[in-house]
Amino acid sequence: MNLKKYFIRALHRLQKGPGYTYKELLVWYCDNTNTHGPKRIIKEGPKKKLIWFFLTLLFASLVFWQWGILINTYLSYNVTSSLSIGFKTMKFPAVTVCNANPFKYSEVKHLLKELDRLIEAALERILQPTSGNSSENASPPLDLQLWHQIPLVLIDEHDKDNPIILDIFESNHAAGGNQTAGGNQTAAGNQTAEGNQTSEGNQTTAGNQTAAGNQTTCSHQGSNNCTYRNFTSAAQAVTEWYILQSTSILSKVPLQERIRMGYQAEDMILACLYGAEPCNYKNFTQIYHPDHGNCYIFNWGMDEEALNSSNPGAEFGLKLILDISQQDYIPYLSSAAGARLMLHQQKSFPFLKDQGIYAMAGTETSIGVLVDELERMGYPYSDCTMNGSDVPVKNLYSQYNTSYSIQACLRSCFQNHMIEICGCGHYMFPLPEGVNYCNNEDNPGWAYCYSSLRSSIRHRQICIDSCKETCNDTQYKMTISMADWPSEASEDWIFHILSYERDMSTNVTLDRNGIIKLNIYFQEYNYRTISESAATTIVWLLSSLGGQFGFWMGGSVLCLIEFGEIIIDSLWITVINVISWCKGLKQRRVQARYPDAPPTVSELVEAHTNLGFQHEDGGALPRDEALPPEPGTPPPNYDSLRVQPLDVLSPDSDTE
């Protein structure tokens, strides 16, 4: 009880001034607030009071509307990009050079012998479709097992209404006139082809008939569960078919053997000069790239500190002379001749197929470099990552000890999906432990699975959503120029010297078709930094909120404190009312138990002295039964309760 009384008194002490009702509190707030508008509501006449009430309500609504827009803008976490130009000594980029041809044909010819015979026979039939003109009869029989796994067919569309499907190693079959996209025309040998392609091709057969190439991949031989790739040129179809088949063959070759069959650094890098310092193939780091075989990286920064460029200009860059040995190219695998090169950051994996450039044989290629540094803001402003640790995809390129990149993440994601769905990994991407590359012998349906997965938009979107951009990145912008090298006047002595330095022979073993000269340098030391900054900060938010509040209602932070004060006062009033209601409820419950009012002292005295003043009982007694009279009790003599005379009591006793 004491605690309850103390609590009630504390509430009354805290709630001072405004009053004990909501109306009194509201009137007190309007009369004392510093916000414009509410004070005029209670001081003006009835008409102006209504006008000021409407204006105050309107402008308060505008303030809250503007506040909502500002808060939503702040929570959207927009960024602004700024461009700044700096000047400093910069690290020379890592330079990766590869041959456009991944292997020496002389080293892999025994592995691709049957495949080459098969593609040569197919090309002969494409160019000479009539029987009797082929020289195949004199050669050993072809092994058509590879062909049946992934066949090629020609679609003759000379007659648009009746396209003819030409199976290269079987007899011709005429397709239906109005064949739909879903309809399959089955040729001899269980080879399935589509007959609804209407795009004209560039491959001309006998009789001036245009044919389009079609590549078919099925889950297993003889199955109708197939996918189709259509080409407008037989040249494209043959190249893609050969790459797919050679991938299956080379995937079974051990890595060290593939490295041996590629181009070695001492044969490929003839001369090297960095600034004024000579260098050689020993200054390059060798890695194996599935697309280009052996690649060599200069200034990768793995084993030693990255090199700095002392000055801009061609004299202070990297100069290379390369021999690509074009005469030893695989004829059906590499249709382009030259060197593939890429500039990238130190300790990053080079993805030459996406970001590399070609350098043409017989030319001197000069590459001027400009540097752009990108600085992105992290969460919550963007979904970038610092080192890839928060990316749910396992980075398969971490086995090279390279840094994270979105290209590595996308390829790792695709390889993980292929291992999960197809049961094996693709030859072009790294493998996790315990998994093998796909091949036709162990995984007959891998080509169909790979084609379906590559064309699946759903799996592609999963990888895009899972991978993140790096927050900090360096990009190298290149300005490329070329000239013939060496000139006709100097090619004789240059080829003699380079041949002697490489082969220790006076005979010329090099020619213009295999020599490439590269000059890579910084154009200038000015670098651009593109950085992101928050478009809205907490300072901007507070100033904007205060500006809107001050403009529409003439308020400030103190006005908000006043508004908070009235809310607190209203809460205290609510608590007091609740306590009063509970107290009244308790009293009503007591009155319900005792409906009559309790007797006063005089009534009690009268009841004891007057025998006739008695309450009637609820039940009447029989008349013949009379109760004996109850003797009255005189009232107590209060003076007899004193234990000492009146004159002995102290004055403080009366006060008490």
Side-chain angles (χ1 to χ4, degrees):
M1 293 300 295
N2 294 334
L3 181 61
K4 177 180 177 182
K5 291 180 179 179
Y6 176 79
F7 181 68
I8 295 175
R9 290 175 182 175
L11 290 178
H12 284 280
R13 284 196 301 268
L14 290 172
Q15 210 289 318
K16 292 182 179 179
Y20 292 95
T21 63
Y22 295 109
K23 181 178 180 181
E24 293 176 354
L25 181 62
L26 184 60
V27 172
W28 176 87
Y29 171 76
C30 294
D31 191 31
N32 293 276
T33 183
N34 292 317
T35 307
H36 298 285
K39 187 179 295 185
R40 304 294 297 269
I41 295 176
I42 63 173
K43 292 186 176 297
E44 298 293 344
K47 294 182 180 179
K48 288 188 176 182
K49 183 182 296 185
L50 182 61
I51 294 174
W52 277 105
F53 175 78
F54 174 75
L55 292 176
T56 303
L57 185 62
L58 175 63
F59 292 149
S61 302
L62 288 175
V63 167
F64 285 112
W65 176 57
Q66 291 291 331
W67 281 4
I69 294 176
L70 293 173
I71 294 174
N72 184 55
T73 302
Y74 173 76
L75 295 179
S76 62
Y77 299 109
N78 296 322
V79 297
T80 57
S81 299
S82 60
L83 175 64
S84 60
I85 299 177
F87 180 85
K88 67 176 181 180
T89 301
M90 293 179 293
K91 291 182 178 180
F92 196 77
V95 180
T96 300
V97 291
C98 311
N99 202 321
N101 184 63
F103 305 104
K104 293 181 180 180
Y105 188 49
S106 58
E107 298 289 341
V108 299
K109 190 174 183 179
H110 65 285
L111 297 174
L112 305 177
K113 181 179 179 180
E114 293 298 327
L115 186 61
D116 290 345
R117 291 184 61 249
L118 193 61
I119 199 65
E120 288 172 0
L123 290 174
E124 187 176 358
R125 293 201 174 201
I126 292 174
L127 297 175
Q128 299 176 359
T130 57
S131 59
N133 297 333
S134 175
S135 60
E136 184 184 340
N137 297 330
S139 61
L142 298 173
D143 183 9
L144 297 179
Q145 182 179 2
L146 292 176
W147 188 267
H148 289 162
Q149 289 175 348
I150 308 175
L152 284 175
V153 297
L154 292 178
I155 303 177
D156 187 351
E157 296 179 340
H158 181 75
D159 186 357
K160 298 293 184 180
D161 296 330
N162 297 284
I164 300 175
I165 299 174
L166 305 173
D167 193 330
I168 296 176
F169 289 104
E170 297 293 341
S171 58
N172 299 346
H173 291 263
N178 296 324
Q179 191 169 358
T180 60
N184 296 333
Q185 178 68 25
T186 304
N190 290 330
Q191 305 306 316
T192 306
E194 284 187 334
N196 63 335
Q197 303 300 321
T198 59
S199 57
E200 296 185 359
N202 300 325
Q203 180 67 33
T204 305
T205 62
N208 252 357
Q209 294 183 352
T210 304
N214 181 292
Q215 176 181 299
T216 308
T217 56
C218 301
S219 58
H220 58 274
Q221 187 174 353
S223 171
N224 290 327
N225 192 17
C226 304
T227 60
Y228 307 92
R229 290 189 65 190
N230 298 294
F231 304 88
T232 57
S233 172
Q236 295 174 336
V238 167
T239 302
E240 292 294 326
W241 182 86
Y242 193 91
I243 292 175
L244 198 62
Q245 294 286 16
S246 62
T247 295
S248 173
I249 297 174
L250 295 172
S251 64
K252 295 181 289 184
V253 179
L255 177 60
Q256 293 301 324
E257 182 67 14
R258 279 179 275 155
I259 293 176
R260 187 194 63 81
M261 294 186 301
Y263 293 86
Q264 305 305 314
E266 56 269 24
D267 298 330
M268 182 176 174
I269 303 173
L270 302 181
C272 176
L273 185 67
Y274 179 71
E277 299 294 329
C279 52
N280 55 33
Y281 68 91
K282 296 180 181 179
N283 299 109
F284 290 76
T285 303
Q286 184 269 337
I287 65 168
Y288 178 79
H289 199 284
D291 289 304
H292 302 286
N294 293 336
C295 294
Y296 303 96
I297 307 178
F298 178 79
N299 195 34
W300 202 12
M302 286 293 187
D303 302 327
E304 54 188 14
E305 188 69 22
L307 300 175
N308 292 325
S309 180
S310 57
N311 281 301
E315 297 299 322
F316 302 94
L318 177 66
K319 298 180 177 64
L320 294 174
I321 298 178
L322 306 177
D323 177 23
I324 61 173
S325 301
Q326 188 177 162
Q327 69 276 4
D328 207 8
Y329 270 34
I330 301 175
Y332 303 110
L333 185 62
S334 302
S335 57
R340 189 75 168 173
L341 63 120
M342 176 183 170
L343 308 183
H344 54 97
Q345 285 182 281
Q346 279 74 28
K347 299 182 180 180
S348 64
F349 190 87
F351 295 95
L352 292 103
K353 193 171 184 179
D354 300 331
Q355 300 173 334
I357 61 173
Y358 279 111
M360 189 170 63
T363 62
E364 178 177 351
T365 303
S366 297
I367 302 175
V369 181
L370 294 175
V371 180
D372 285 346
E373 296 181 353
L374 304 180
E375 298 177 357
R376 300 181 180 91
M377 296 192 68
Y379 182 83
Y381 296 96
S382 67
D383 195 21
C384 68
T385 179
M386 295 299 297
N387 53 14
S389 59
D390 55 343
V391 176
V393 178
K394 181 182 179 182
N395 186 11
L396 300 179
Y397 289 86
S398 60
Q399 57 186 271
Y400 296 97
N401 295 324
T402 54
S403 58
Y404 170 86
S405 65
I406 190 171
Q407 291 87 359
C409 179
L410 291 174
R411 284 158 178 76
S412 300
C413 181
F414 179 85
Q415 184 75 310
N416 291 331
H417 284 169
M418 183 148 185
I419 294 172
E420 179 182 353
I421 297 175
C422 305
C424 57
H426 195 272
Y427 169 73
M428 293 298 175
F429 310 114
L431 278 180
E433 295 183 0
V435 182
N436 297 322
Y437 284 121
C438 298
N439 59 78
N440 293 333
E441 294 180 1
D442 300 332
N443 313 96
W446 78 270
Y448 167 78
C449 182
Y450 166 70
S451 300
S452 302
L453 186 62
R454 187 176 63 172
S455 60
S456 174
I457 299 178
R458 184 177 67 87
H459 288 92
R460 191 184 313 166
Q461 190 62 41
I462 291 175
C463 292
I464 293 175
D465 295 338
S466 301
C467 296
K468 300 179 181 179
E469 286 276 5
T470 53
C471 293
N472 298 323
D473 191 15
T474 300
Q475 296 181 352
Y476 298 99
K477 306 296 183 181
M478 294 177 287
T479 303
I480 303 173
S481 60
M482 292 183 295
D484 288 340
W485 186 87
S487 64
E488 293 182 359
S490 59
E491 66 178 358
D492 184 58
W493 69 268
I494 288 178
F495 288 152
H496 269 90
I497 291 179
L498 293 177
S499 299
Y500 179 79
E501 291 175 345
R502 189 185 68 170
D503 303 326
M504 300 301 295
S505 173
T506 57
N507 297 326
V508 177
T509 58
L510 301 174
D511 56 22
R512 182 179 296 275
N513 293 328
I515 291 296
I516 298 174
K517 185 177 182 180
L518 297 175
N519 298 323
I520 304 171
Y521 57 91
F522 282 122
Q523 282 186 308
E524 54 188 24
Y525 268 180
N526 291 338
Y527 68 95
R528 300 188 305 174
T529 301
I530 304 174
S531 58
E532 292 181 348
S533 59
T536 57
T537 61
I538 189 64
V539 176
W540 172 88
L541 178 63
L542 294 177
S543 61
S544 299
L545 294 178
Q548 293 296 326
F549 188 38
F551 177 74
W552 292 109
M553 298 193 67
S556 63
V557 177
L558 295 177
C559 298
L560 296 178
I561 296 176
E562 292 176 353
F563 187 73
E565 181 186 8
I566 191 176
I567 293 177
I568 295 175
D569 290 339
S570 63
L571 291 177
W572 290 130
I573 292 177
T574 303
V575 172
I576 293 173
N577 291 338
V578 170
I579 293 176
S580 300
W581 180 80
C582 293
K583 185 177 180 181
L585 180 62
K586 184 177 180 181
Q587 292 178 354
R588 287 193 296 271
R589 288 178 178 176
V590 173
Q591 291 178 359
R593 294 176 59 186
Y594 303 100
D596 297 334
T600 61
V601 176
S602 60
E603 291 177 344
L604 291 175
V605 173
E606 183 68 20
H608 286 82
T609 56
N610 188 359
L611 297 178
F613 186 78
Q614 299 292 337
H615 292 284
E616 295 182 355
D617 296 333
L621 295 174
R623 293 183 179 180
D624 54 352
E625 295 183 5
L627 293 176
E630 182 178 350
T633 302
N637 188 3
Y638 293 101
D639 291 339
S640 63
L641 296 177
R642 298 184 185 275
V643 295
Q644 57 183 347
L646 292 175
D647 54 357
V648 182
L649 295 175
S650 62
D652 296 336
S653 301
D654 297 336
T655 306
E656 293 179 354

